Amino acid sequence: MIQTIKLPFYAKLACILISLISFAYIFCIAKDIITPVLMAFLFSVLLVPVFTFFNVKLKFPRHLAAAICVFLFLIFIIGILVFISYQVTNMANDFETIKKNANSFLIEIHKFIRENFHVSIGEQKKYLDTVTKDSVKNGNATLGSAIISITDLLLDCTIIPIYTFLFLLYKDHFILFLAKLISKENHATLKDILSRIKVSINNYIISLILEMIVVSVLTSLGLWIIGVKYFILLGLITGILNLIPYIGILIAGIITVLASLTGSAETSIILGILIVNVIVQLIDNNLLVPLIINSKVEINAFVSIIGIIIGGSAAGISGMFLAIPLLAILKIIFERIESLEAWGYVMGNHMPKRFIWRIRKAKVEN
């Protein structure tokens, strides 16, 4: 008969911390292998209902059903990329206008700095020349890093659909593997964990898509009102980049400012773009994220920010994107294991309105 060993709290805490540090270390040294696998896992969970429809309802073979799911997913992604490429091609036709307006805008900036900070235009140009020379010196290293990054991106774009196909194909195989790891009396808990993980990931990804659509529409509408050309393209780019926490909206703002130079170099247009981005972000952070994202994954903001920072430092943009769903999975697992229930609670966003210590008073013997 197997006896359960009860450890004191400090021993349990040490085991949990050692396990988390070990997983984090393994992820850091093998992030190039693990990140595509995790991305494919998220996409495969999203595609499970489609796979079930083709495999169970329409009686398609598993291989064919999985292949159709991946094909439809790729068609959706390629459609968005083709639309963006078509719009960017049209924008490239305005290159001369952009160049002319950019020069006019730079002249206005030079004048503003000279009048407000008393730095002559000559000194400003000398500083820019120095920065340019330093950039050229470091250009080879930067170019090499860029080529490596593009190569890694192309490799991930190739291998993630393959991993997604295999996850769908071997879905039941992996579930049976987990069932063999767990004792039969805990199979009900395992089934509950897997079903809740599926629901949580589906809700999270669908919520991200809804958020992307709303941000794209609001940004496009705002840019259209202030008279920015290619407002639909810029709104879509803003919505997509908004999926990248913190830095995505900054990159989108820079792209929008540069694209606005296809029309004019007026400072009022650029100021209008900044105002539109700020308003959309206020709506996104204070309305969309609490209602659409946080209500689905049920993770508090403190844990989310720490997770995103750790994910970004470990695996860059991919790590930031994966942080929230991985935290949601950990929270579900912790909540279903009695010894880890407290950690699942601290990750959640259900705060008590009031907490009262209930301490039993010892009876005083007469």
Side-chain angles (χ1 to χ4, degrees), residues 48 55 79 157 314 321 353:
V48 163
N55 182 234
C157 291
F321 179 78
K353 295 181 179 179

Side-chain angles (χ1 to χ4, degrees), residues 285-305:
N285 294 329
N286 295 285
L287 186 62
L288 298 180
V289 171
L291 290 179
I292 298 178
I293 304 295
N294 291 346
S295 62
K296 301 298 183 183
V297 297
E298 298 181 348
I299 297 176
N300 64 66
F302 180 75
V303 175
S304 299
I305 293 173

